[in-house]
Amino acid sequence: MTLFRQLGLLLVTPFTQNLMTTESCLSNNFLGNYQDAGTIFTIHIIRDDECLQASSSRLNSAHYGPAPDPREQLVWLEKAAIDETLQAHIPQSKSILNELLLSLQAPVIQDEPELQKIMSSHATTIPSYNVHYSTDTAALISLDSEKARVIDTLLPPFWKSKLLPTAPSTYLPIPTAAIATVKTILTRLKFDPVVASIVNNISVPQIQNDVRFLTGEDGKSGIISRHSFSTGAITAANWLRARVEDTGATCRLSPFLPGFAPNVICRYDAIKDTNATVLVSGHYDSRGSFGSIRAPGGDDDGSGTTGVLSIARTIARKGVKFHSNVELAFFAGEEQGLLGSRAYARELREAGANLTLMVQADMTAYRAPGEPLQLGLPDIIGSPEVTQLVANISAIYSPELTIGFTPACCSDHQSFHEQGFPATQVFERAGPIADPMYHNSGDLSGREGFDLQQLYAIAKVQFATILHTAGYEL
Ligand SMILES: *[C@@H]1O[C@H](CO)[C@@H](O)[C@H](O)[C@H]1NC(C)=O
Ligand SMILES: *[C@@H]1O[C@H](CO)[C@@H](O)[C@H](O)[C@H]1NC(C)=O
Ligand SMILES: *[C@@H]1O[C@H](CO)[C@@H](O)[C@H](O)[C@H]1NC(C)=O
Ligand SMILES: *[C@@H]1O[C@H](CO)[C@@H](O)[C@H](O)[C@H]1NC(C)=O
Ligand SMILES: [Zn+2]
């Protein structure tokens, strides 16, 4: 224990709700949930003596070692849940570390000044890093924090990175009262013809225009990339803010980390006196192929972003007013590990916000050849009660969608779930990711499989969830 006493103990342990609620030592030193091949792990750094003693009994079931130098950034790397049809297209390699090394050796071609500057100073050499945990499908590494910020641009396709928080927080389960509220909404759920007429008013041609602006396919926006550090992300943020303000909302650009494009947070105040708030969101930042600056992000997550924007446009067209506060959020920093949403979820928790529920839309447009229109709901991270509510709402207002579960895990809803808010995600497929253009510079809207009708049907579900949860008037 002497080494751990000096540096602290880094603990990676399979998540169980019970463990987290009964062992305050673990729940107070919480660095988040992470997944590896369908299992959820929690990560902790433990520095105080008493907690070290209490944790020694845990060590049999946990991966552990000395904590890294506090100046180093911890990064969780994981292989995304992808369909067999995509597995065939990627080089099979035994270990993540090999893949990472290979990708770091590939030539870097950059043409946008800002990114080029960052990447030329960090990415052309192999960064040194320490490995704290690794399997064929995930790893926990620590490295220089500046290099960690750009690690998403260095990863092989289908690998994702998540920067861990620099300070631990306290794990907070979703309060039973919050779950009871969601259950009550589900119990009272029945078809409402007015809700149907509102959600059916979402305009598909408008969504198409909007997504073509964000991808740069319309030739008007000048957007090449919406990577969190790109100028295109700033263009997108200002545009989203202006478009949603046009619909009568109050919006703000909310910076969360130096160098990152800001979150765009928009709000429609309730017409009643309440602090209850319903949140729906997407992430507007994007990722492209390794070595290419182009990151159109048409499906990931131009689809969720324009779905949320279509809700705003319809609120204005129909003159909808809400009984609860309604927020529409467009996050950045998702591709670096849910960083924008993490900051906003923490902010809401610190303010004691009364969030009834939140629904994140991430990748809603891609439909593989021969498959029906689908709605995928998260099978591990998320609140089952919110997921059930969304499923039942989908059956009522978008019966064209076949509903099922997906292991494609962990978009921005995870940030809210970890802060004790009821949350879920809507996704394009009842199964793993099948989009061959995932995290690829070819993720455009004008391609085979990019299905605006599915995007529309899923946006209707998100919108009907707001209307049933918040209550409304015309
Ligand atoms: C939700 O949908 C399921 C499946 O159709 C159904 O069995 C259940 O009764 C519904 N729940 C409510 C509360 O309506
Ligand atoms: C939406 O409603 C407005 C006014 O009620 C109507 O003019 C418009 O055509 C409708 N659009 C769609 C796509 O249904
Ligand atoms: C949240 O808002 C609801 C509806 O106004 C209210 O009944 C409830 O007490 C509020 N909860 C908290 C924790 O403030
Ligand atoms: C929200 O409103 C409830 C009463 O409806 C109140 O008890 C609670 O303190 C309020 N919360 C905040 C953060 O203002
Ligand atoms: Zn995404």
Side-chain angles (χ1 to χ4, degrees):
M1 297 297 265
T2 322
L3 184 60
F4 298 145
R5 211 159 256 151
Q6 280 165 12
L7 296 169
L9 173 71
L10 178 70
L11 204 60
V12 182
T13 193
F15 173 80
T16 64
Q17 182 93 15
N18 193 29
L19 186 65
M20 292 295 281
T21 45
T22 55
E23 291 198 21
S24 61
C25 155
L26 288 186
S27 66
N28 293 334
N29 291 288
F30 179 58
L31 285 168
N33 285 325
Y34 301 86
Q35 74 141 356
D36 179 9
T39 301
I40 306 175
F41 291 91
T42 58
I43 300 180
H44 309 264
I45 289 183
I46 294 165
R47 293 212 160 87
D48 75 274
D49 254 17
E50 204 182 316
C51 191
L52 272 178
Q53 296 298 345
S55 308
S56 47
S57 64
R58 290 274 125 247
L59 300 184
N60 287 337
S61 61
H63 304 264
Y64 65 95
D69 184 319
R71 286 162 300 184
E72 297 231 307
Q73 170 71 52
L74 280 163
V75 182
W76 181 263
L77 303 171
E78 75 189 51
K79 192 172 188 177
I82 55 169
D83 195 66
E84 283 167 6
T85 53
L86 298 184
Q87 302 275 9
H89 295 283
I90 58 171
Q92 295 300 318
S93 128
K94 274 268 175 287
S95 89
I96 162 118
L97 299 174
N98 288 346
E99 290 206 29
L100 189 54
L101 280 171
L102 281 175
S103 71
L104 295 175
Q105 284 160 353
V108 179
I109 310 149
Q110 291 300 327
D111 48 22
E112 208 195 48
E114 215 177 323
L115 257 189
Q116 188 175 20
K117 208 168 63 204
I118 296 164
M119 293 191 65
S120 63
S121 59
H122 298 296
T124 47
T125 56
I126 297 169
S128 57
Y129 49 80
N130 295 306
V131 181
H132 303 275
Y133 165 92
S134 85
T135 66
D136 285 352
T137 44
L140 177 65
I141 65 173
S142 59
L143 73 171
D144 175 83
S145 57
E146 282 299 304
K147 285 168 188 159
R149 279 161 56 105
V150 296
I151 198 162
D152 67 299
T153 62
L154 311 176
L155 289 177
F158 307 120
W159 281 88
K160 306 197 293 185
S161 54
K162 280 187 182 153
L163 273 59
L164 273 70
T166 46
S169 62
T170 302
Y171 173 80
L172 183 74
I174 316 240
T176 44
I179 291 173
T181 304
V182 176
K183 282 186 174 162
T184 304
I185 298 164
L186 176 61
T187 315
R188 294 185 186 150
L189 178 68
K190 63 180 198 325
F191 175 73
D192 176 341
V194 182
V195 168
S197 73
I198 296 169
V199 302
N200 288 335
N201 190 253
I202 291 176
S203 163
V204 175
Q206 180 74 62
I207 292 174
Q208 185 166 31
N209 284 344
D210 289 343
V211 78
R212 286 170 52 78
F213 180 92
L214 288 175
T215 56
E217 283 166 287
D218 71 356
K220 293 177 197 154
S221 67
I223 292 175
I224 296 164
S225 167
R226 300 190 313 278
H227 189 278
S228 289
F229 305 144
S230 68
T231 52
I234 304 294
T235 304
N238 287 318
W239 181 79
L240 286 165
R241 174 194 188 155
R243 296 291 73 73
V244 181
E245 281 185 337
D246 288 347
T247 70
T250 311
C251 297
R252 63 194 164 97
L253 300 183
S254 184
F256 54 90
L257 275 175
F260 284 77
N263 291 332
V264 184
I265 311 287
C266 298
R267 180 179 175 94
Y268 301 90
D269 284 325
I271 53 173
K272 296 197 168 176
D273 181 22
T274 177
N275 53 28
T277 303
V278 179
L279 171 67
V280 300
S281 55
H283 73 87
Y284 74 90
D285 66 312
S286 65
R287 222 182 107 171
S289 307
F290 177 78
S292 164
I293 196 75
R294 183 87 171 103
D299 187 30
D300 186 8
D301 183 24
S303 58
T305 300
T306 55
V308 174
L309 177 56
S310 77
I311 292 170
R313 292 185 183 281
T314 309
I315 288 170
R317 249 192 335 269
K318 287 290 177 192
V320 185
K321 305 271 181 258
F322 298 104
H323 293 167
S324 293
N325 303 289
V326 169
E327 290 196 353
L328 307 182
F330 306 91
F331 297 117
E334 196 274 349
E335 300 292 2
Q336 288 72 37
L338 319 179
L339 301 182
S341 58
R342 182 189 290 162
Y344 191 51
R346 284 189 172 205
E347 183 184 322
L348 289 184
R349 178 172 163 187
E350 276 156 26
N354 187 0
L355 201 59
T356 314
L357 57 80
M358 77 81 72
V359 181
Q360 162 82 354
D362 193 358
M363 299 173 66
T364 62
Y366 183 75
R367 184 161 68 88
E371 293 191 353
L373 302 185
Q374 289 164 81
L375 170 65
L377 297 165
D379 64 3
I380 53 172
I381 300 255
S383 314
E385 298 79 10
V386 184
T387 301
Q388 184 67 58
L389 176 65
V390 168
N392 285 39
I393 286 175
S394 179
I396 295 173
Y397 297 102
S398 291
E400 64 272 39
L401 293 170
T402 300
I403 305 167
F405 285 103
T406 175
C409 178
C410 301
S411 186
D412 292 312
H413 65 294
Q414 181 178 356
S415 299
F416 292 84
H417 192 244
E418 282 181 8
Q419 294 296 333
F421 297 120
T424 196
Q425 181 192 349
V426 287
F427 177 71
E428 62 203 7
R429 189 162 187 264
I433 294 166
D435 184 354
M437 293 298 144
Y438 176 62
H439 289 170
N440 188 296
S441 299
D443 182 7
L444 299 165
S445 69
R447 62 183 164 108
E448 202 187 328
F450 194 99
D451 192 324
L452 287 165
Q453 288 302 326
Q454 182 176 279
L455 193 172
Y456 162 75
I458 295 176
K460 281 198 296 178
V461 174
Q462 238 184 343
F463 197 3
T465 303
I466 300 176
L467 293 162
H468 273 284
T469 303
Y472 69 92
E473 277 170 30
L474 290 181

Coordinates of all heavy atoms in Angstrom, one line a residue, residues 76 132 183 256 385 403 422 426:
W76 N -10.1 7.2 -21.5 CA -10.7 5.9 -21.8 C -10.8 5.7 -23.3 O -11.4 6.6 -24.0 CB -12.1 5.8 -21.1 CG -12.7 4.5 -21.3 CD1 -13.7 4.1 -22.2 CD2 -12.5 3.3 -20.5 NE1 -14.1 2.8 -22.1 CE2 -13.4 2.3 -21.0 CE3 -11.7 3.0 -19.4 CZ2 -13.4 1.0 -20.5 CZ3 -11.8 1.7 -18.9 CH2 -12.6 0.7 -19.4
H132 N -3.1 1.8 -18.1 CA -3.5 1.4 -16.8 C -4.5 0.2 -16.8 O -4.7 -0.5 -15.8 CB -4.2 2.6 -16.0 CG -3.4 3.8 -15.9 ND1 -2.4 4.0 -14.9 CD2 -3.2 4.9 -16.8 CE1 -1.8 5.1 -15.1 NE2 -2.2 5.7 -16.2
K183 N -42.7 7.9 -14.4 CA -43.6 6.7 -14.5 C -45.1 7.2 -14.6 O -45.9 6.7 -15.3 CB -43.5 5.9 -13.2 CG -42.3 4.9 -13.3 CD -42.3 4.0 -12.1 CE -41.2 2.9 -12.2 NZ -41.0 2.3 -10.8
F256 N -17.2 26.0 -22.4 CA -16.9 25.1 -21.3 C -15.5 24.7 -21.1 O -15.1 24.3 -20.0 CB -17.8 23.8 -21.4 CG -17.6 23.1 -22.7 CD1 -16.6 22.1 -22.9 CD2 -18.4 23.4 -23.8 CE1 -16.5 21.5 -24.1 CE2 -18.2 22.8 -25.0 CZ -17.3 21.8 -25.2
E385 N -36.9 3.9 -17.3 CA -38.3 4.5 -17.3 C -38.4 5.6 -18.4 O -39.5 5.7 -19.0 CB -38.6 5.2 -15.9 CG -38.5 4.2 -14.7 CD -37.1 3.9 -14.2 OE1 -36.1 4.5 -14.7 OE2 -37.0 2.9 -13.4
I403 N -39.0 -0.6 -33.2 CA -38.3 -0.2 -32.0 C -37.5 -1.3 -31.5 O -37.9 -2.5 -31.5 CB -39.2 0.3 -30.9 CG1 -40.2 1.4 -31.4 CG2 -38.5 0.8 -29.7 CD1 -41.3 1.7 -30.5
P422 N -33.0 11.9 -14.9 CA -33.5 10.8 -15.8 C -33.2 11.2 -17.3 O -33.5 12.3 -17.8 CB -35.0 10.9 -15.6 CG -35.2 11.7 -14.3 CD -34.0 12.6 -14.2
V426 N -32.0 8.6 -28.4 CA -32.6 8.0 -29.5 C -31.6 7.9 -30.6 O -30.8 8.8 -30.9 CB -33.8 8.8 -30.0 CG1 -35.0 8.7 -29.1 CG2 -33.5 10.3 -30.2

